[in-house]
Amino acid sequence: MSVKTLTIDGKMMTGVEGDTVFTVAFHNQVQIPRLCHLGGVPDVGACRMCLVEVEGRSKLSASCMTTIEEGMVVRTDTEQLREYRKLLMELLLAEGNHVCSVCVSNGNCELQDLATHLGVDHVRVPYRHPRREVDLSHERFGLDQNRCIACTRCVRTCDEVEGAHVWDMAGRGEKLHLVADLGEPWGNSENCTKCGKCVQVCPTGALFTKGSAVGEMEKDRSFLKYIVYGRERHQWVKKP
Amino acid sequence: MGTTAPTVKDNRVKLLERAMSRQGYASHALIEVLHTAQELFGYLSVDLLKDVAKKLKLPPSRVLGVATFYNFFSLKPKAEHTALVCTGTACYVAGAKDLLEASEHRCKRALAKGETPKLTVQQARCIGSCGLAPAVVLDGGILPRVTKAELEKKLDDLGV
Ligand code: SF4
Ligand code: SF4
Ligand code: FES
Ligand code: FES
């Protein structure tokens, strides 16, 4: 394992071979915007929010999918990047039906928080208003596809951490949607252990605990790192 | 699968089984196995997908994800004939909408008469032959730079 030195936003940082730009930046208090990255499960580069400029590369790179190299010079917060992220966010908002005022996650939503952080105050592309399903067949949880941004956090967590692999993405383009098992109602899933991990990691109000009212669904994402790393490090008592 | 006569069904099931065993039931052979299944059965039923998931040791949702990603696979039974109308940018600009309407009209006409349509109409986003736009793939054969009249004629010939 060799150590590599690189520059991110003008600061020298070091990481271990195989680390991603996102992770090294994170450990050095540079928080790159992200939606699909989730500590504890593998990265897939689904949302492109974490785009950065790498000197010498003509294309932008998703920092969660870019491994560090010796002498790399990375910029995470330029005018152009801010504009692209804003547009990405507007496209996400226009693609689904994100009506915050009636959402269980209003006030506790990563999508909403990031939109605010990026300064999105209106959407310049036409809203698509797609017709999407709501699945309330599960005894404990609900899925509202209208709020799904296809980040696949739930897919990866259910697969990698719970080991059930209930979820996956089906279809493509505008028809892309989440499916449980063979597309049956979630409540009929033979594989689901009802553990609720997917609900906790979902960045939006797409997955929620039944019975939550508007703004009531607060999620705990720290548990995942605790489970994954705690096991590796034999750290059985949650840090305060 | 359910509607076919048992003898025919058994044979196809055996052929699919053979295709999977030839691949050593490897998970990464999923696309190839689904290809064989699609060609044998004309569509992928839920039971069939479940069987493939079990034998290739894959999560069912992954199998469904792959089956719905590729245009080649269909989850519903296909009619006797298929018309795949390309609605990619080049074809759309060249008039794919009319071709689509003409094809879909055949199905509607049959349904209005209370008959089962003999044609399945599919859409694809660019089939990679933009130079031939607008293109329709009728029963596996490509109709290049096809006009509405030409397509109508072909469909008449097929009796759909
Ligand atoms: S509740 Fe647990 S087992 Fe069920 S889908 Fe969610 S993560 Fe998977
Ligand atoms: S349900 Fe939530 S976690 Fe799953 S893909 Fe959609 S937004 Fe992501
Ligand atoms: S966080 Fe990197 S692509 Fe989503
Ligand atoms: S748009 Fe029809 S072939 Fe490319």
Side-chain angles (χ1 to χ4, degrees):
Chain A
M1 271 208 291
S2 70
V3 171
K4 304 208 181 267
T5 308
L6 67 160
T7 313
I8 300 181
D9 292 344
K11 274 181 274 177
M12 293 279 273
M13 296 179 189
T14 54
V16 178
E17 185 168 2
D19 277 354
T20 64
V21 170
F22 185 94
T23 308
V24 173
F26 184 83
H27 289 313
N28 288 278
Q29 288 76 47
V30 175
Q31 178 64 70
I32 303 172
R34 51 86 186 254
L35 284 170
C36 69
H37 168 86
L38 182 69
V41 289
D43 284 308
V44 287
C47 74
R48 315 316 278 181
M49 258 319 152
C50 68
L51 287 174
V52 294
E53 290 175 7
V54 179
E55 229 170 75
R57 296 192 191 172
S58 55
K59 286 186 193 151
L60 299 173
S61 312
S63 60
C64 72
M65 298 299 286
T66 307
T67 45
I68 56 167
E69 280 164 28
E70 184 63 37
M72 214 177 201
V73 178
V74 180
R75 275 179 295 272
T76 75
D77 196 25
T78 65
E79 191 59 42
Q80 195 202 24
L81 288 171
R82 279 199 289 269
E83 180 49 38
Y84 281 158
R85 287 189 190 124
K86 225 171 145 174
L87 186 59
L88 268 174
M89 176 56 80
E90 291 173 33
L91 288 166
L92 279 176
L93 294 174
E95 185 183 41
N97 296 308
H98 297 279
V99 190
C100 302
S101 55
V102 297
C103 180
V104 289
S105 287
N106 193 9
N108 306 299
C109 172
E110 285 186 51
L111 190 71
Q112 194 182 45
D113 290 349
L114 187 56
T116 312
H117 172 80
L118 296 174
V120 173
D121 44 18
H122 67 290
V123 172
R124 291 164 288 177
V125 291
Y127 282 96
R128 289 186 51 254
H129 303 297
R131 284 182 74 97
R132 293 194 188 166
E133 311 222 330
V134 179
D135 181 348
L136 295 174
S137 60
H138 197 283
E139 60 181 90
R140 300 183 56 199
F141 314 116
L143 162 65
D144 185 344
Q145 303 259 13
N146 292 292
R147 306 170 185 149
C148 175
I149 56 167
C151 69
T152 74
R153 280 187 186 185
C154 57
V155 176
R156 287 172 283 152
T157 304
C158 183
D159 177 42
E160 297 271 339
V161 186
E162 178 59 10
H165 202 123
V166 169
W167 301 116
D168 220 309
M169 301 308 300
R172 65 201 285 184
E174 61 174 359
K175 299 224 174 78
L176 188 71
H177 66 289
L178 197 59
V179 285
D181 289 358
L182 284 173
E184 56 250 66
W186 187 7
N188 296 1
S189 164
E190 285 173 18
N191 292 351
C192 179
T193 62
K194 309 183 175 68
C195 70
K197 290 185 179 66
C198 56
V199 176
Q200 296 303 326
V201 298
C202 176
T204 72
L207 290 169
F208 55 90
T209 306
K210 271 184 156 177
S212 336
V214 172
E216 265 185 14
M217 185 68 219
E218 273 186 65
K219 299 185 179 183
D220 172 19
R221 294 185 181 97
S222 66
F223 85 96
L224 192 67
K225 270 194 179 162
Y226 166 65
I227 296 179
V228 177
Y229 301 133
R231 200 182 294 157
E232 271 167 27
R233 294 173 194 155
H234 301 284
Q235 172 193 313
W236 304 112
V237 180
K238 211 169 179 174
K239 277 193 202 150
Chain B
M1 286 158 85
T3 52
T4 34
T7 46
V8 181
K9 181 181 146 191
D10 287 348
N11 195 28
R12 288 189 297 178
V13 168
K14 216 185 288 161
L15 285 172
L16 181 62
E17 190 69 40
R18 203 178 295 158
M20 286 192 272
S21 93
R22 216 181 306 125
Q23 301 283 345
Y25 296 96
S27 310
H28 58 73
L30 175 62
I31 295 184
E32 231 175 294
V33 169
L34 290 181
H35 243 269
T36 310
Q38 169 79 44
E39 265 160 11
L40 287 170
F41 296 95
Y43 77 107
L44 306 171
S45 68
V46 166
D47 288 342
L48 206 145
L49 292 175
K50 199 178 268 178
D51 188 52
V52 169
K54 194 171 152 200
K55 299 210 165 116
L56 299 190
K57 296 190 170 55
L58 284 166
S61 55
R62 167 71 55 79
V63 174
L64 180 64
V66 171
T68 52
F69 185 83
Y70 297 99
N71 212 61
F72 177 78
F73 302 128
S74 98
L75 301 191
K76 288 195 214 109
K78 273 190 194 159
E80 210 175 305
H81 300 286
T82 33
L84 181 131
V85 182
C86 179
T87 49
T89 312
C91 292
Y92 196 86
V93 170
K97 199 159 164 264
D98 286 346
L99 301 173
L100 192 62
E101 275 168 13
S103 315
E104 278 170 349
H105 176 72
R106 302 280 167 155
C107 303
K108 285 190 200 134
R109 200 172 61 186
L111 286 171
K113 279 196 236 156
E115 294 165 3
T116 313
K118 285 198 212 145
L119 185 71
T120 299
V121 183
Q122 296 180 309
Q123 289 185 52
R125 298 257 177 259
C126 189
I127 56 168
S129 313
C130 302
L132 306 179
V136 173
V137 184
L138 190 59
D139 289 338
I142 189 158
L143 303 180
R145 295 192 197 95
V146 63
T147 63
K148 189 172 170 220
E150 280 164 10
L151 180 64
E152 299 273 17
K153 171 92 182 33
K154 292 269 184 200
L155 294 174
D156 286 341
D157 292 349
L158 291 174
V160 301

